[in-house]
Amino acid sequence: MADDGDGKLRTEEGGGAEGGGGPEEVAGSWLGGGGALDMLLSLAFVALAALLAYQLYRRWAKRSGAGGAAPASPADALPRMKRRDFTLEQLREYDGARTPRILLAVNGKVFDVTKGSKFYGPEGPYGIFAGRDASRGLATFCLDKDALRDEYDDLSDLNAVQMESVREWEMQFKEKYDYVGRLLEPSEYTDEEDTKDHTKQD
Ligand code: HEM
């Protein structure tokens, strides 16, 4: 058996050492050496070797947590949040600092933006929106601290263009993130929520 330099094995001598040869060596001797079948078998051998290597790699990757598996992010570790509605106060808890989960509201809808923690986490460029109703900031394209109101914001002073922008942002969030529930207006609070709210303000 000899290596002809292009990866194929020649078997003109016939026979050859059985132990060191591949299947092509055997086939070569049956057919009197080389030919299309020889080439085909070489390709099959290479494909088989590649498949084996890939399977080994997959097994290794699975064990070591590598191989396309994204690094564990807070969103991966958290179960999907059950649908529920929020008072402003309840929303504030989910700011990514007090809890790993990050929620924000746009146009009265609450979204779980934990998977966007690079944007909304405490160090993120849009961290100011975490746990807040982000509508006004998004509508006015402003990231200042006073771009958001501390009290419930009915957005009634925003103009048509700004309101349209709020709706567009809402669509964008709906596409990318999980919708969790509604941001309640104070008129919708239960007695318990109402009392808590007033006690806080007094
Ligand atoms: C010069 C100023 C700004 C630049 C260069 C900028 C740049 C960007 C870029 C590149 C993205 C896309 C990031 C990605 O998908 O990987 C993005 C997303 C975003 N930007 Fe800005 N931005 C600017 C100002 C603002 C302002 C003022 C606001 C809000 C008031 C804002 C709110 C957002 C939001 C909400 C997202 C979506 C993040 C997400 O996918 O959850 N940006 N910005």
Side-chain angles (χ1 to χ4, degrees), residues 113 116 118-120 126 129 137-143 169 172-173 176-177:
V113 296
K118 66 173 177 181
F119 297 122
Y120 307 103
Y126 310 125
F129 296 145
L138 292 170
T140 56
F141 211 59
C142 181
L143 292 165
W169 278 109
Q172 206 166 304
F173 278 88
K176 182 168 177 185
Y177 299 109

mmCIF file of all heavy atoms in Angstrom, residues 113 116 118-120 126 129 137-143 169 172-173 176-177, ligand 1:
data_model
loop_
_atom_site.group_PDB
_atom_site.id
_atom_site.type_symbol
_atom_site.label_atom_id
_atom_site.label_comp_id
_atom_site.label_asym_id
_atom_site.label_seq_id
_atom_site.Cartn_x
_atom_site.Cartn_y
_atom_site.Cartn_z
ATOM 1 N N VAL A 113 -38.146 42.016 30.425
ATOM 2 C CA VAL A 113 -37.013 42.343 29.558
ATOM 3 C C VAL A 113 -35.703 41.775 30.116
ATOM 4 O O VAL A 113 -34.621 42.254 29.779
ATOM 5 C CB VAL A 113 -36.890 43.876 29.347
ATOM 6 C CG1 VAL A 113 -38.095 44.406 28.616
ATOM 7 C CG2 VAL A 113 -36.692 44.606 30.668
ATOM 8 N N GLY A 116 -32.886 41.103 27.987
ATOM 9 C CA GLY A 116 -32.189 42.298 27.498
ATOM 10 C C GLY A 116 -31.447 42.986 28.629
ATOM 11 O O GLY A 116 -31.337 44.213 28.636
ATOM 12 N N LYS A 118 -28.494 43.373 29.276
ATOM 13 C CA LYS A 118 -27.356 44.230 28.906
ATOM 14 C C LYS A 118 -27.832 45.660 28.618
ATOM 15 O O LYS A 118 -27.088 46.615 28.699
ATOM 16 C CB LYS A 118 -26.570 43.640 27.742
ATOM 17 C CG LYS A 118 -27.318 43.582 26.463
ATOM 18 C CD LYS A 118 -26.434 43.151 25.311
ATOM 19 C CE LYS A 118 -27.294 43.054 24.052
ATOM 20 N NZ LYS A 118 -26.668 42.642 22.874
ATOM 21 N N PHE A 119 -29.112 45.805 28.265
ATOM 22 C CA PHE A 119 -29.677 47.147 28.061
ATOM 23 C C PHE A 119 -30.257 47.727 29.353
ATOM 24 O O PHE A 119 -30.095 48.893 29.650
ATOM 25 C CB PHE A 119 -30.820 47.112 27.039
ATOM 26 C CG PHE A 119 -30.421 46.692 25.662
ATOM 27 C CD1 PHE A 119 -31.012 45.597 25.052
ATOM 28 C CD2 PHE A 119 -29.450 47.393 24.963
ATOM 29 C CE1 PHE A 119 -30.660 45.208 23.776
ATOM 30 C CE2 PHE A 119 -29.084 47.015 23.685
ATOM 31 C CZ PHE A 119 -29.686 45.913 23.084
ATOM 32 N N TYR A 120 -30.998 46.845 30.092
ATOM 33 C CA TYR A 120 -31.821 47.356 31.193
ATOM 34 C C TYR A 120 -31.278 47.040 32.585
ATOM 35 O O TYR A 120 -31.870 47.442 33.585
ATOM 36 C CB TYR A 120 -33.250 46.806 31.056
ATOM 37 C CG TYR A 120 -33.819 47.065 29.689
ATOM 38 C CD1 TYR A 120 -33.897 46.058 28.737
ATOM 39 C CD2 TYR A 120 -34.215 48.345 29.325
ATOM 40 C CE1 TYR A 120 -34.384 46.300 27.465
ATOM 41 C CE2 TYR A 120 -34.697 48.608 28.051
ATOM 42 C CZ TYR A 120 -34.777 47.569 27.123
ATOM 43 O OH TYR A 120 -35.245 47.828 25.873
ATOM 44 N N TYR A 126 -29.975 51.627 29.273
ATOM 45 C CA TYR A 126 -31.384 51.949 29.487
ATOM 46 C C TYR A 126 -31.875 51.444 30.850
ATOM 47 O O TYR A 126 -33.058 51.190 31.047
ATOM 48 C CB TYR A 126 -32.230 51.379 28.334
ATOM 49 C CG TYR A 126 -31.661 51.754 26.979
ATOM 50 C CD1 TYR A 126 -31.344 50.804 26.020
ATOM 51 C CD2 TYR A 126 -31.388 53.094 26.679
ATOM 52 C CE1 TYR A 126 -30.796 51.158 24.794
ATOM 53 C CE2 TYR A 126 -30.832 53.463 25.466
ATOM 54 C CZ TYR A 126 -30.536 52.491 24.525
ATOM 55 O OH TYR A 126 -29.978 52.856 23.331
ATOM 56 N N PHE A 129 -35.016 52.565 32.848
ATOM 57 C CA PHE A 129 -36.374 52.080 32.575
ATOM 58 C C PHE A 129 -36.738 50.835 33.384
ATOM 59 O O PHE A 129 -37.896 50.435 33.412
ATOM 60 C CB PHE A 129 -36.528 51.743 31.090
ATOM 61 C CG PHE A 129 -36.390 52.931 30.167
ATOM 62 C CD1 PHE A 129 -35.799 52.795 28.919
ATOM 63 C CD2 PHE A 129 -36.869 54.178 30.551
ATOM 64 C CE1 PHE A 129 -35.677 53.888 28.065
ATOM 65 C CE2 PHE A 129 -36.750 55.274 29.703
ATOM 66 C CZ PHE A 129 -36.154 55.131 28.455
ATOM 67 N N GLY A 137 -40.282 58.335 28.735
ATOM 68 C CA GLY A 137 -38.883 58.417 28.309
ATOM 69 C C GLY A 137 -38.719 58.007 26.853
ATOM 70 O O GLY A 137 -37.996 58.647 26.090
ATOM 71 N N LEU A 138 -39.438 56.951 26.466
ATOM 72 C CA LEU A 138 -39.340 56.478 25.087
ATOM 73 C C LEU A 138 -39.989 57.473 24.126
ATOM 74 O O LEU A 138 -39.451 57.759 23.060
ATOM 75 C CB LEU A 138 -40.011 55.103 24.955
ATOM 76 C CG LEU A 138 -39.290 53.956 25.685
ATOM 77 C CD1 LEU A 138 -40.144 52.695 25.712
ATOM 78 C CD2 LEU A 138 -37.934 53.664 25.059
ATOM 79 N N ALA A 139 -41.125 58.018 24.534
ATOM 80 C CA ALA A 139 -41.854 58.949 23.669
ATOM 81 C C ALA A 139 -41.067 60.222 23.423
ATOM 82 O O ALA A 139 -41.114 60.800 22.340
ATOM 83 C CB ALA A 139 -43.196 59.290 24.294
ATOM 84 N N THR A 140 -40.353 60.669 24.451
ATOM 85 C CA THR A 140 -39.622 61.937 24.338
ATOM 86 C C THR A 140 -38.152 61.700 24.006
ATOM 87 O O THR A 140 -37.369 62.626 23.932
ATOM 88 C CB THR A 140 -39.732 62.732 25.652
ATOM 89 O OG1 THR A 140 -39.260 61.895 26.719
ATOM 90 C CG2 THR A 140 -41.161 63.137 25.940
ATOM 91 N N PHE A 141 -37.804 60.411 23.819
ATOM 92 C CA PHE A 141 -36.438 60.013 23.497
ATOM 93 C C PHE A 141 -35.451 60.612 24.502
ATOM 94 O O PHE A 141 -34.414 61.158 24.150
ATOM 95 C CB PHE A 141 -36.081 60.420 22.066
ATOM 96 C CG PHE A 141 -35.107 59.493 21.424
ATOM 97 C CD1 PHE A 141 -35.400 58.141 21.273
ATOM 98 C CD2 PHE A 141 -33.866 59.933 20.976
ATOM 99 C CE1 PHE A 141 -34.495 57.267 20.704
ATOM 100 C CE2 PHE A 141 -32.954 59.066 20.397
ATOM 101 C CZ PHE A 141 -33.265 57.732 20.254
ATOM 102 N N CYS A 142 -35.827 60.490 25.743
ATOM 103 C CA CYS A 142 -35.019 61.100 26.797
ATOM 104 C C CYS A 142 -34.693 60.086 27.884
ATOM 105 O O CYS A 142 -35.570 59.352 28.352
ATOM 106 C CB CYS A 142 -35.787 62.289 27.383
ATOM 107 S SG CYS A 142 -34.855 63.121 28.676
ATOM 108 N N LEU A 143 -33.417 60.063 28.260
ATOM 109 C CA LEU A 143 -32.973 59.101 29.269
ATOM 110 C C LEU A 143 -32.678 59.764 30.615
ATOM 111 O O LEU A 143 -32.150 59.135 31.519
ATOM 112 C CB LEU A 143 -31.717 58.372 28.771
ATOM 113 C CG LEU A 143 -31.929 57.433 27.574
ATOM 114 C CD1 LEU A 143 -30.599 57.052 26.935
ATOM 115 C CD2 LEU A 143 -32.696 56.201 27.984
ATOM 116 N N TRP A 169 -43.098 51.650 20.105
ATOM 117 C CA TRP A 169 -42.213 50.990 21.073
ATOM 118 C C TRP A 169 -42.906 49.765 21.668
ATOM 119 O O TRP A 169 -42.300 48.717 21.833
ATOM 120 C CB TRP A 169 -41.805 51.958 22.186
ATOM 121 C CG TRP A 169 -40.666 52.854 21.826
ATOM 122 C CD1 TRP A 169 -40.727 54.191 21.586
ATOM 123 C CD2 TRP A 169 -39.287 52.485 21.655
ATOM 124 N NE1 TRP A 169 -39.470 54.684 21.281
ATOM 125 C CE2 TRP A 169 -38.583 53.651 21.315
ATOM 126 C CE3 TRP A 169 -38.601 51.283 21.740
ATOM 127 C CZ2 TRP A 169 -37.204 53.656 21.071
ATOM 128 C CZ3 TRP A 169 -37.224 51.279 21.506
ATOM 129 C CH2 TRP A 169 -36.553 52.451 21.178
ATOM 130 N N GLN A 172 -42.652 46.948 19.370
ATOM 131 C CA GLN A 172 -41.282 46.430 19.348
ATOM 132 C C GLN A 172 -41.021 45.519 20.562
ATOM 133 O O GLN A 172 -40.425 44.465 20.428
ATOM 134 C CB GLN A 172 -40.306 47.595 19.357
ATOM 135 C CG GLN A 172 -38.980 47.257 18.717
ATOM 136 C CD GLN A 172 -38.181 48.510 18.440
ATOM 137 O OE1 GLN A 172 -38.661 49.417 17.751
ATOM 138 N NE2 GLN A 172 -36.983 48.591 18.988
ATOM 139 N N PHE A 173 -41.495 45.972 21.709
ATOM 140 C CA PHE A 173 -41.308 45.160 22.925
ATOM 141 C C PHE A 173 -42.114 43.869 22.845
ATOM 142 O O PHE A 173 -41.667 42.812 23.271
ATOM 143 C CB PHE A 173 -41.681 45.971 24.176
ATOM 144 C CG PHE A 173 -40.575 46.864 24.629
ATOM 145 C CD1 PHE A 173 -40.440 48.149 24.118
ATOM 146 C CD2 PHE A 173 -39.629 46.426 25.541
ATOM 147 C CE1 PHE A 173 -39.390 48.971 24.507
ATOM 148 C CE2 PHE A 173 -38.583 47.241 25.945
ATOM 149 C CZ PHE A 173 -38.459 48.522 25.425
ATOM 150 N N LYS A 176 -40.223 41.312 20.856
ATOM 151 C CA LYS A 176 -38.959 40.773 21.382
ATOM 152 C C LYS A 176 -39.102 40.121 22.760
ATOM 153 O O LYS A 176 -38.383 39.171 23.068
ATOM 154 C CB LYS A 176 -37.936 41.922 21.439
ATOM 155 C CG LYS A 176 -36.578 41.479 21.923
ATOM 156 C CD LYS A 176 -35.513 42.528 21.702
ATOM 157 C CE LYS A 176 -34.181 42.074 22.258
ATOM 158 N NZ LYS A 176 -33.156 43.112 22.165
ATOM 159 N N TYR A 177 -39.995 40.633 23.583
ATOM 160 C CA TYR A 177 -40.048 40.187 24.986
ATOM 161 C C TYR A 177 -41.400 39.558 25.344
ATOM 162 O O TYR A 177 -42.380 39.728 24.622
ATOM 163 C CB TYR A 177 -39.781 41.378 25.908
ATOM 164 C CG TYR A 177 -38.433 42.014 25.704
ATOM 165 C CD1 TYR A 177 -38.302 43.266 25.110
ATOM 166 C CD2 TYR A 177 -37.272 41.344 26.081
ATOM 167 C CE1 TYR A 177 -37.056 43.851 24.916
ATOM 168 C CE2 TYR A 177 -36.020 41.927 25.895
ATOM 169 C CZ TYR A 177 -35.923 43.172 25.311
ATOM 170 O OH TYR A 177 -34.689 43.745 25.113
HETATM 171 C C1 HEM B 1 -27.219 58.641 20.376
HETATM 172 C C2 HEM B 1 -28.090 57.998 21.067
HETATM 173 C C3 HEM B 1 -28.406 56.543 20.922
HETATM 174 C C4 HEM B 1 -27.755 55.560 20.273
HETATM 175 C C5 HEM B 1 -26.474 55.655 19.464
HETATM 176 C C6 HEM B 1 -28.500 54.342 20.465
HETATM 177 C C7 HEM B 1 -28.166 53.112 19.946
HETATM 178 C C8 HEM B 1 -28.928 51.985 20.070
HETATM 179 C C9 HEM B 1 -28.634 50.720 19.432
HETATM 180 C C10 HEM B 1 -27.428 50.446 18.539
HETATM 181 C C11 HEM B 1 -29.600 49.872 19.771
HETATM 182 C C12 HEM B 1 -29.749 48.436 19.302
HETATM 183 C C13 HEM B 1 -28.960 47.535 20.215
HETATM 184 C C14 HEM B 1 -29.141 46.082 19.836
HETATM 185 O O1 HEM B 1 -30.220 45.676 19.412
HETATM 186 O O2 HEM B 1 -28.162 45.350 20.010
HETATM 187 C C15 HEM B 1 -30.523 50.570 20.621
HETATM 188 C C16 HEM B 1 -31.628 50.011 21.169
HETATM 189 C C17 HEM B 1 -32.488 50.686 21.974
HETATM 190 N N1 HEM B 1 -32.432 52.011 22.285
HETATM 191 FE FE1 HEM B 1 -30.999 53.283 21.804
HETATM 192 N N2 HEM B 1 -29.579 54.624 21.225
HETATM 193 C C18 HEM B 1 -29.566 55.951 21.516
HETATM 194 C C19 HEM B 1 -30.476 56.631 22.258
HETATM 195 C C20 HEM B 1 -31.562 56.092 22.839
HETATM 196 C C21 HEM B 1 -32.522 56.829 23.632
HETATM 197 C C22 HEM B 1 -32.445 58.329 23.939
HETATM 198 C C23 HEM B 1 -33.459 55.914 24.042
HETATM 199 C C24 HEM B 1 -34.674 56.119 24.879
HETATM 200 C C25 HEM B 1 -35.098 57.227 25.341
HETATM 201 C C26 HEM B 1 -33.082 54.646 23.495
HETATM 202 C C27 HEM B 1 -33.769 53.490 23.711
HETATM 203 C C28 HEM B 1 -33.451 52.278 23.149
HETATM 204 C C29 HEM B 1 -34.203 51.083 23.404
HETATM 205 C C30 HEM B 1 -35.423 50.931 24.296
HETATM 206 C C31 HEM B 1 -33.604 50.072 22.654
HETATM 207 C C32 HEM B 1 -34.076 48.635 22.510
HETATM 208 C C33 HEM B 1 -33.283 47.713 23.421
HETATM 209 C C34 HEM B 1 -33.907 46.336 23.362
HETATM 210 O O3 HEM B 1 -33.769 45.678 22.330
HETATM 211 O O4 HEM B 1 -34.546 45.955 24.337
HETATM 212 N N3 HEM B 1 -31.933 54.791 22.776
HETATM 213 N N4 HEM B 1 -30.076 51.849 20.789
#
